[in-house]
PDB file of all heavy atoms in Angstrom:
ATOM      1  N   HIS A   1      15.223 -15.239 -17.806  1.00  0.00           N
ATOM      2  CA  HIS A   1      16.611 -15.278 -17.356  1.00  0.00           C
ATOM      3  C   HIS A   1      17.016 -13.980 -16.668  1.00  0.00           C
ATOM      4  O   HIS A   1      18.083 -13.903 -16.065  1.00  0.00           O
ATOM      5  CB  HIS A   1      17.571 -15.622 -18.491  1.00  0.00           C
ATOM      6  CG  HIS A   1      17.396 -14.806 -19.739  1.00  0.00           C
ATOM      7  ND1 HIS A   1      17.586 -13.439 -19.780  1.00  0.00           N
ATOM      8  CD2 HIS A   1      17.052 -15.168 -21.005  1.00  0.00           C
ATOM      9  CE1 HIS A   1      17.371 -13.001 -21.006  1.00  0.00           C
ATOM     10  NE2 HIS A   1      17.046 -14.012 -21.769  1.00  0.00           N
ATOM     11  N   VAL A   2      16.181 -12.932 -16.796  1.00  0.00           N
ATOM     12  CA  VAL A   2      16.425 -11.650 -16.122  1.00  0.00           C
ATOM     13  C   VAL A   2      15.127 -11.200 -15.466  1.00  0.00           C
ATOM     14  O   VAL A   2      14.070 -11.209 -16.107  1.00  0.00           O
ATOM     15  CB  VAL A   2      16.899 -10.571 -17.115  1.00  0.00           C
ATOM     16  CG1 VAL A   2      16.926  -9.198 -16.456  1.00  0.00           C
ATOM     17  CG2 VAL A   2      18.281 -10.913 -17.656  1.00  0.00           C
ATOM     18  N   ILE A   3      15.205 -10.809 -14.206  1.00  0.00           N
ATOM     19  CA  ILE A   3      14.059 -10.265 -13.483  1.00  0.00           C
ATOM     20  C   ILE A   3      14.426  -8.849 -13.054  1.00  0.00           C
ATOM     21  O   ILE A   3      15.358  -8.661 -12.262  1.00  0.00           O
ATOM     22  CB  ILE A   3      13.711 -11.103 -12.237  1.00  0.00           C
ATOM     23  CG1 ILE A   3      13.422 -12.562 -12.619  1.00  0.00           C
ATOM     24  CG2 ILE A   3      12.530 -10.471 -11.491  1.00  0.00           C
ATOM     25  CD1 ILE A   3      12.181 -12.771 -13.451  1.00  0.00           C
ATOM     26  N   ASN A   4      13.698  -7.866 -13.563  1.00  0.00           N
ATOM     27  CA  ASN A   4      13.964  -6.490 -13.153  1.00  0.00           C
ATOM     28  C   ASN A   4      13.220  -6.193 -11.855  1.00  0.00           C
ATOM     29  O   ASN A   4      12.005  -6.355 -11.775  1.00  0.00           O
ATOM     30  CB  ASN A   4      13.514  -5.504 -14.235  1.00  0.00           C
ATOM     31  CG  ASN A   4      13.925  -4.085 -13.899  1.00  0.00           C
ATOM     32  OD1 ASN A   4      15.116  -3.815 -13.714  1.00  0.00           O
ATOM     33  ND2 ASN A   4      12.966  -3.183 -13.810  1.00  0.00           N
ATOM     34  N   VAL A   5      13.967  -5.761 -10.834  1.00  0.00           N
ATOM     35  CA  VAL A   5      13.384  -5.451  -9.529  1.00  0.00           C
ATOM     36  C   VAL A   5      13.423  -3.937  -9.354  1.00  0.00           C
ATOM     37  O   VAL A   5      14.496  -3.334  -9.328  1.00  0.00           O
ATOM     38  CB  VAL A   5      14.136  -6.152  -8.387  1.00  0.00           C
ATOM     39  CG1 VAL A   5      13.377  -5.975  -7.070  1.00  0.00           C
ATOM     40  CG2 VAL A   5      14.334  -7.636  -8.692  1.00  0.00           C
ATOM     41  N   LYS A   6      12.252  -3.336  -9.238  1.00  0.00           N
ATOM     42  CA  LYS A   6      12.150  -1.883  -9.164  1.00  0.00           C
ATOM     43  C   LYS A   6      12.537  -1.371  -7.777  1.00  0.00           C
ATOM     44  O   LYS A   6      12.584  -2.137  -6.806  1.00  0.00           O
ATOM     45  CB  LYS A   6      10.725  -1.443  -9.496  1.00  0.00           C
ATOM     46  CG  LYS A   6      10.218  -1.906 -10.838  1.00  0.00           C
ATOM     47  CD  LYS A   6       8.769  -1.481 -10.983  1.00  0.00           C
ATOM     48  CE  LYS A   6       8.062  -2.301 -12.042  1.00  0.00           C
ATOM     49  NZ  LYS A   6       6.624  -2.006 -12.070  1.00  0.00           N
ATOM     50  N   PRO A   7      12.771  -0.072  -7.642  1.00  0.00           N
ATOM     51  CA  PRO A   7      13.115   0.516  -6.343  1.00  0.00           C
ATOM     52  C   PRO A   7      12.060   0.210  -5.286  1.00  0.00           C
ATOM     53  O   PRO A   7      10.860   0.313  -5.538  1.00  0.00           O
ATOM     54  CB  PRO A   7      13.176   2.016  -6.630  1.00  0.00           C
ATOM     55  CG  PRO A   7      13.499   2.105  -8.079  1.00  0.00           C
ATOM     56  CD  PRO A   7      12.794   0.945  -8.718  1.00  0.00           C
ATOM     57  N   GLY A   8      12.504  -0.202  -4.096  1.00  0.00           N
ATOM     58  CA  GLY A   8      11.613  -0.430  -2.979  1.00  0.00           C
ATOM     59  C   GLY A   8      10.697  -1.625  -3.138  1.00  0.00           C
ATOM     60  O   GLY A   8       9.775  -1.815  -2.350  1.00  0.00           O
ATOM     61  N   GLN A   9      10.931  -2.466  -4.129  1.00  0.00           N
ATOM     62  CA  GLN A   9      10.017  -3.552  -4.435  1.00  0.00           C
ATOM     63  C   GLN A   9      10.580  -4.891  -3.964  1.00  0.00           C
ATOM     64  O   GLN A   9      11.793  -5.087  -3.909  1.00  0.00           O
ATOM     65  CB  GLN A   9       9.790  -3.594  -5.949  1.00  0.00           C
ATOM     66  CG  GLN A   9       8.693  -4.529  -6.416  1.00  0.00           C
ATOM     67  CD  GLN A   9       8.615  -4.554  -7.921  1.00  0.00           C
ATOM     68  OE1 GLN A   9       9.551  -4.990  -8.590  1.00  0.00           O
ATOM     69  NE2 GLN A   9       7.524  -4.066  -8.484  1.00  0.00           N
ATOM     70  N   THR A  10       9.684  -5.815  -3.629  1.00  0.00           N
ATOM     71  CA  THR A  10      10.074  -7.176  -3.279  1.00  0.00           C
ATOM     72  C   THR A  10       9.462  -8.132  -4.297  1.00  0.00           C
ATOM     73  O   THR A  10       8.265  -8.067  -4.567  1.00  0.00           O
ATOM     74  CB  THR A  10       9.609  -7.536  -1.869  1.00  0.00           C
ATOM     75  OG1 THR A  10      10.258  -6.671  -0.933  1.00  0.00           O
ATOM     76  CG2 THR A  10       9.962  -8.984  -1.527  1.00  0.00           C
ATOM     77  N   VAL A  11      10.280  -8.993  -4.858  1.00  0.00           N
ATOM     78  CA  VAL A  11       9.856  -9.912  -5.917  1.00  0.00           C
ATOM     79  C   VAL A  11      10.328 -11.315  -5.561  1.00  0.00           C
ATOM     80  O   VAL A  11      11.446 -11.497  -5.069  1.00  0.00           O
ATOM     81  CB  VAL A  11      10.459  -9.499  -7.280  1.00  0.00           C
ATOM     82  CG1 VAL A  11      10.065 -10.476  -8.371  1.00  0.00           C
ATOM     83  CG2 VAL A  11      10.030  -8.096  -7.654  1.00  0.00           C
ATOM     84  N   SER A  12       9.481 -12.318  -5.827  1.00  0.00           N
ATOM     85  CA  SER A  12       9.867 -13.709  -5.584  1.00  0.00           C
ATOM     86  C   SER A  12       9.923 -14.480  -6.894  1.00  0.00           C
ATOM     87  O   SER A  12       9.100 -14.266  -7.792  1.00  0.00           O
ATOM     88  CB  SER A  12       8.880 -14.385  -4.630  1.00  0.00           C
ATOM     89  OG  SER A  12       8.986 -13.836  -3.333  1.00  0.00           O
ATOM     90  N   VAL A  13      10.902 -15.376  -6.983  1.00  0.00           N
ATOM     91  CA  VAL A  13      11.058 -16.250  -8.149  1.00  0.00           C
ATOM     92  C   VAL A  13      11.331 -17.662  -7.666  1.00  0.00           C
ATOM     93  O   VAL A  13      11.909 -17.865  -6.596  1.00  0.00           O
ATOM     94  CB  VAL A  13      12.211 -15.785  -9.074  1.00  0.00           C
ATOM     95  CG1 VAL A  13      11.947 -14.395  -9.631  1.00  0.00           C
ATOM     96  CG2 VAL A  13      13.555 -15.825  -8.353  1.00  0.00           C
ATOM     97  N   ASP A  14      10.891 -18.644  -8.446  1.00  0.00           N
ATOM     98  CA  ASP A  14      11.224 -20.043  -8.172  1.00  0.00           C
ATOM     99  C   ASP A  14      12.312 -20.476  -9.137  1.00  0.00           C
ATOM    100  O   ASP A  14      12.193 -20.258 -10.352  1.00  0.00           O
ATOM    101  CB  ASP A  14       9.988 -20.927  -8.336  1.00  0.00           C
ATOM    102  CG  ASP A  14       8.995 -20.730  -7.205  1.00  0.00           C
ATOM    103  OD1 ASP A  14       9.386 -20.927  -6.041  1.00  0.00           O
ATOM    104  OD2 ASP A  14       7.833 -20.359  -7.478  1.00  0.00           O
ATOM    105  N   VAL A  15      13.361 -21.082  -8.608  1.00  0.00           N
ATOM    106  CA  VAL A  15      14.521 -21.480  -9.411  1.00  0.00           C
ATOM    107  C   VAL A  15      14.788 -22.967  -9.211  1.00  0.00           C
ATOM    108  O   VAL A  15      15.297 -23.385  -8.150  1.00  0.00           O
ATOM    109  CB  VAL A  15      15.774 -20.662  -9.028  1.00  0.00           C
ATOM    110  CG1 VAL A  15      16.973 -21.115  -9.860  1.00  0.00           C
ATOM    111  CG2 VAL A  15      15.528 -19.173  -9.224  1.00  0.00           C
ATOM    112  N   PRO A  16      14.444 -23.811 -10.181  1.00  0.00           N
ATOM    113  CA  PRO A  16      14.811 -25.223 -10.094  1.00  0.00           C
ATOM    114  C   PRO A  16      16.320 -25.385 -10.317  1.00  0.00           C
ATOM    115  O   PRO A  16      16.849 -24.918 -11.330  1.00  0.00           O
ATOM    116  CB  PRO A  16      14.025 -25.877 -11.236  1.00  0.00           C
ATOM    117  CG  PRO A  16      12.971 -24.875 -11.623  1.00  0.00           C
ATOM    118  CD  PRO A  16      13.584 -23.536 -11.341  1.00  0.00           C
ATOM    119  N   ALA A  17      16.987 -26.020  -9.376  1.00  0.00           N
ATOM    120  CA  ALA A  17      18.438 -26.232  -9.486  1.00  0.00           C
ATOM    121  C   ALA A  17      18.661 -27.485 -10.324  1.00  0.00           C
ATOM    122  O   ALA A  17      18.982 -28.557  -9.809  1.00  0.00           O
ATOM    123  CB  ALA A  17      19.054 -26.369  -8.098  1.00  0.00           C
ATOM    124  N   ASP A  18      18.503 -27.348 -11.637  1.00  0.00           N
ATOM    125  CA  ASP A  18      18.537 -28.504 -12.525  1.00  0.00           C
ATOM    126  C   ASP A  18      19.801 -28.578 -13.377  1.00  0.00           C
ATOM    127  O   ASP A  18      19.850 -29.321 -14.356  1.00  0.00           O
ATOM    128  CB  ASP A  18      17.295 -28.511 -13.418  1.00  0.00           C
ATOM    129  CG  ASP A  18      17.107 -27.207 -14.187  1.00  0.00           C
ATOM    130  OD1 ASP A  18      18.009 -26.343 -14.127  1.00  0.00           O
ATOM    131  OD2 ASP A  18      16.058 -27.042 -14.842  1.00  0.00           O
ATOM    132  N   ALA A  19      20.808 -27.801 -13.013  1.00  0.00           N
ATOM    133  CA  ALA A  19      22.081 -27.838 -13.744  1.00  0.00           C
ATOM    134  C   ALA A  19      23.212 -27.694 -12.739  1.00  0.00           C
ATOM    135  O   ALA A  19      23.381 -26.634 -12.126  1.00  0.00           O
ATOM    136  CB  ALA A  19      22.138 -26.727 -14.783  1.00  0.00           C
ATOM    137  N   GLU A  20      23.964 -28.757 -12.541  1.00  0.00           N
ATOM    138  CA  GLU A  20      25.030 -28.688 -11.541  1.00  0.00           C
ATOM    139  C   GLU A  20      26.188 -27.820 -12.030  1.00  0.00           C
ATOM    140  O   GLU A  20      26.362 -27.582 -13.224  1.00  0.00           O
ATOM    141  CB  GLU A  20      25.541 -30.092 -11.211  1.00  0.00           C
ATOM    142  CG  GLU A  20      26.244 -30.780 -12.368  1.00  0.00           C
ATOM    143  CD  GLU A  20      26.932 -32.070 -11.930  1.00  0.00           C
ATOM    144  OE1 GLU A  20      27.770 -31.999 -11.010  1.00  0.00           O
ATOM    145  OE2 GLU A  20      26.614 -33.124 -12.506  1.00  0.00           O
ATOM    146  N   GLY A  21      26.961 -27.335 -11.082  1.00  0.00           N
ATOM    147  CA  GLY A  21      28.124 -26.542 -11.436  1.00  0.00           C
ATOM    148  C   GLY A  21      28.158 -25.228 -10.681  1.00  0.00           C
ATOM    149  O   GLY A  21      27.409 -25.001  -9.721  1.00  0.00           O
ATOM    150  N   GLU A  22      29.058 -24.355 -11.116  1.00  0.00           N
ATOM    151  CA  GLU A  22      29.243 -23.047 -10.494  1.00  0.00           C
ATOM    152  C   GLU A  22      28.779 -21.973 -11.474  1.00  0.00           C
ATOM    153  O   GLU A  22      29.244 -21.917 -12.613  1.00  0.00           O
ATOM    154  CB  GLU A  22      30.712 -22.856 -10.115  1.00  0.00           C
ATOM    155  CG  GLU A  22      31.204 -23.923  -9.132  1.00  0.00           C
ATOM    156  CD  GLU A  22      32.607 -23.659  -8.625  1.00  0.00           C
ATOM    157  OE1 GLU A  22      33.206 -22.641  -9.029  1.00  0.00           O
ATOM    158  OE2 GLU A  22      33.097 -24.463  -7.825  1.00  0.00           O
ATOM    159  N   TRP A  23      27.857 -21.120 -10.997  1.00  0.00           N
ATOM    160  CA  TRP A  23      27.194 -20.170 -11.867  1.00  0.00           C
ATOM    161  C   TRP A  23      27.308 -18.746 -11.322  1.00  0.00           C
ATOM    162  O   TRP A  23      27.282 -18.529 -10.108  1.00  0.00           O
ATOM    163  CB  TRP A  23      25.706 -20.524 -12.004  1.00  0.00           C
ATOM    164  CG  TRP A  23      25.446 -21.903 -12.504  1.00  0.00           C
ATOM    165  CD1 TRP A  23      25.083 -23.001 -11.772  1.00  0.00           C
ATOM    166  CD2 TRP A  23      25.544 -22.360 -13.867  1.00  0.00           C
ATOM    167  NE1 TRP A  23      24.934 -24.097 -12.579  1.00  0.00           N
ATOM    168  CE2 TRP A  23      25.215 -23.743 -13.876  1.00  0.00           C
ATOM    169  CE3 TRP A  23      25.878 -21.737 -15.068  1.00  0.00           C
ATOM    170  CZ2 TRP A  23      25.203 -24.503 -15.043  1.00  0.00           C
ATOM    171  CZ3 TRP A  23      25.867 -22.500 -16.234  1.00  0.00           C
ATOM    172  CH2 TRP A  23      25.526 -23.856 -16.213  1.00  0.00           C
ATOM    173  N   ALA A  24      27.380 -17.787 -12.221  1.00  0.00           N
ATOM    174  CA  ALA A  24      27.345 -16.377 -11.838  1.00  0.00           C
ATOM    175  C   ALA A  24      25.898 -15.968 -11.553  1.00  0.00           C
ATOM    176  O   ALA A  24      24.958 -16.455 -12.193  1.00  0.00           O
ATOM    177  CB  ALA A  24      27.937 -15.508 -12.946  1.00  0.00           C
ATOM    178  N   PHE A  25      25.734 -15.054 -10.610  1.00  0.00           N
ATOM    179  CA  PHE A  25      24.416 -14.610 -10.127  1.00  0.00           C
ATOM    180  C   PHE A  25      24.583 -13.128  -9.823  1.00  0.00           C
ATOM    181  O   PHE A  25      25.270 -12.765  -8.876  1.00  0.00           O
ATOM    182  CB  PHE A  25      24.095 -15.428  -8.869  1.00  0.00           C
ATOM    183  CG  PHE A  25      22.726 -15.249  -8.274  1.00  0.00           C
ATOM    184  CD1 PHE A  25      22.290 -16.153  -7.316  1.00  0.00           C
ATOM    185  CD2 PHE A  25      21.886 -14.212  -8.628  1.00  0.00           C
ATOM    186  CE1 PHE A  25      21.038 -16.021  -6.730  1.00  0.00           C
ATOM    187  CE2 PHE A  25      20.632 -14.076  -8.053  1.00  0.00           C
ATOM    188  CZ  PHE A  25      20.210 -14.983  -7.102  1.00  0.00           C
ATOM    189  N   HIS A  26      23.989 -12.232 -10.635  1.00  0.00           N
ATOM    190  CA  HIS A  26      24.367 -10.827 -10.477  1.00  0.00           C
ATOM    191  C   HIS A  26      23.334  -9.867 -11.045  1.00  0.00           C
ATOM    192  O   HIS A  26      22.459 -10.258 -11.834  1.00  0.00           O
ATOM    193  CB  HIS A  26      25.713 -10.573 -11.173  1.00  0.00           C
ATOM    194  CG  HIS A  26      25.722 -10.855 -12.647  1.00  0.00           C
ATOM    195  ND1 HIS A  26      25.392  -9.914 -13.591  1.00  0.00           N
ATOM    196  CD2 HIS A  26      26.042 -11.983 -13.352  1.00  0.00           C
ATOM    197  CE1 HIS A  26      25.507 -10.445 -14.811  1.00  0.00           C
ATOM    198  NE2 HIS A  26      25.889 -11.699 -14.695  1.00  0.00           N
ATOM    199  N   CYS A  27      23.453  -8.613 -10.658  1.00  0.00           N
ATOM    200  CA  CYS A  27      22.740  -7.522 -11.325  1.00  0.00           C
ATOM    201  C   CYS A  27      23.401  -7.311 -12.675  1.00  0.00           C
ATOM    202  O   CYS A  27      24.628  -7.287 -12.775  1.00  0.00           O
ATOM    203  CB  CYS A  27      22.822  -6.248 -10.482  1.00  0.00           C
ATOM    204  SG  CYS A  27      22.110  -4.790 -11.298  1.00  0.00           S
ATOM    205  N   HIS A  28      22.577  -7.137 -13.725  1.00  0.00           N
ATOM    206  CA  HIS A  28      23.146  -7.027 -15.069  1.00  0.00           C
ATOM    207  C   HIS A  28      23.525  -5.595 -15.443  1.00  0.00           C
ATOM    208  O   HIS A  28      23.980  -5.356 -16.565  1.00  0.00           O
ATOM    209  CB  HIS A  28      22.214  -7.622 -16.121  1.00  0.00           C
ATOM    210  CG  HIS A  28      22.939  -8.323 -17.223  1.00  0.00           C
ATOM    211  ND1 HIS A  28      23.592  -7.641 -18.230  1.00  0.00           N
ATOM    212  CD2 HIS A  28      23.156  -9.634 -17.477  1.00  0.00           C
ATOM    213  CE1 HIS A  28      24.150  -8.512 -19.065  1.00  0.00           C
ATOM    214  NE2 HIS A  28      23.899  -9.729 -18.624  1.00  0.00           N
ATOM    215  N   LEU A  29      23.342  -4.626 -14.543  1.00  0.00           N
ATOM    216  CA  LEU A  29      23.921  -3.312 -14.781  1.00  0.00           C
ATOM    217  C   LEU A  29      25.427  -3.444 -14.597  1.00  0.00           C
ATOM    218  O   LEU A  29      25.902  -3.830 -13.518  1.00  0.00           O
ATOM    219  CB  LEU A  29      23.342  -2.278 -13.819  1.00  0.00           C
ATOM    220  CG  LEU A  29      21.836  -2.024 -13.938  1.00  0.00           C
ATOM    221  CD1 LEU A  29      21.394  -0.945 -12.959  1.00  0.00           C
ATOM    222  CD2 LEU A  29      21.436  -1.648 -15.355  1.00  0.00           C
ATOM    223  N   LEU A  30      26.184  -3.157 -15.629  1.00  0.00           N
ATOM    224  CA  LEU A  30      27.611  -3.473 -15.655  1.00  0.00           C
ATOM    225  C   LEU A  30      28.356  -2.884 -14.468  1.00  0.00           C
ATOM    226  O   LEU A  30      29.166  -3.564 -13.824  1.00  0.00           O
ATOM    227  CB  LEU A  30      28.221  -2.978 -16.967  1.00  0.00           C
ATOM    228  CG  LEU A  30      29.710  -3.273 -17.168  1.00  0.00           C
ATOM    229  CD1 LEU A  30      29.969  -4.772 -17.192  1.00  0.00           C
ATOM    230  CD2 LEU A  30      30.208  -2.630 -18.465  1.00  0.00           C
ATOM    231  N   TYR A  31      28.089  -1.612 -14.148  1.00  0.00           N
ATOM    232  CA  TYR A  31      28.834  -0.964 -13.071  1.00  0.00           C
ATOM    233  C   TYR A  31      28.375  -1.442 -11.694  1.00  0.00           C
ATOM    234  O   TYR A  31      29.143  -1.383 -10.736  1.00  0.00           O
ATOM    235  CB  TYR A  31      28.728   0.555 -13.201  1.00  0.00           C
ATOM    236  CG  TYR A  31      29.331   1.080 -14.480  1.00  0.00           C
ATOM    237  CD1 TYR A  31      28.554   1.678 -15.464  1.00  0.00           C
ATOM    238  CD2 TYR A  31      30.697   0.954 -14.734  1.00  0.00           C
ATOM    239  CE1 TYR A  31      29.104   2.143 -16.643  1.00  0.00           C
ATOM    240  CE2 TYR A  31      31.260   1.409 -15.914  1.00  0.00           C
ATOM    241  CZ  TYR A  31      30.460   2.004 -16.866  1.00  0.00           C
ATOM    242  OH  TYR A  31      31.020   2.450 -18.034  1.00  0.00           O
TER     243      TYR A  31
END
């Protein structure tokens, strides 16, 4: 549920859209 992306790095993830609705999508560092 969390993917940490390091500085200067490119990362790919596959996300099945299996739950309809409106969802938050964000960096989990609060600030």
Side-chain angles (χ1 to χ4, degrees):
H1 50 63
V2 171
I3 302 293
N4 187 58
V5 188
K6 303 176 200 173
Q9 189 183 65
T10 297
V11 178
S12 292
V13 298
D14 288 302
V15 179
D18 54 7
E20 66 171 303
E22 300 187 0
W23 303 101
F25 186 167
H26 60 89
C27 174
H28 217 284
L29 297 182
L30 182 62
Y31 298 114

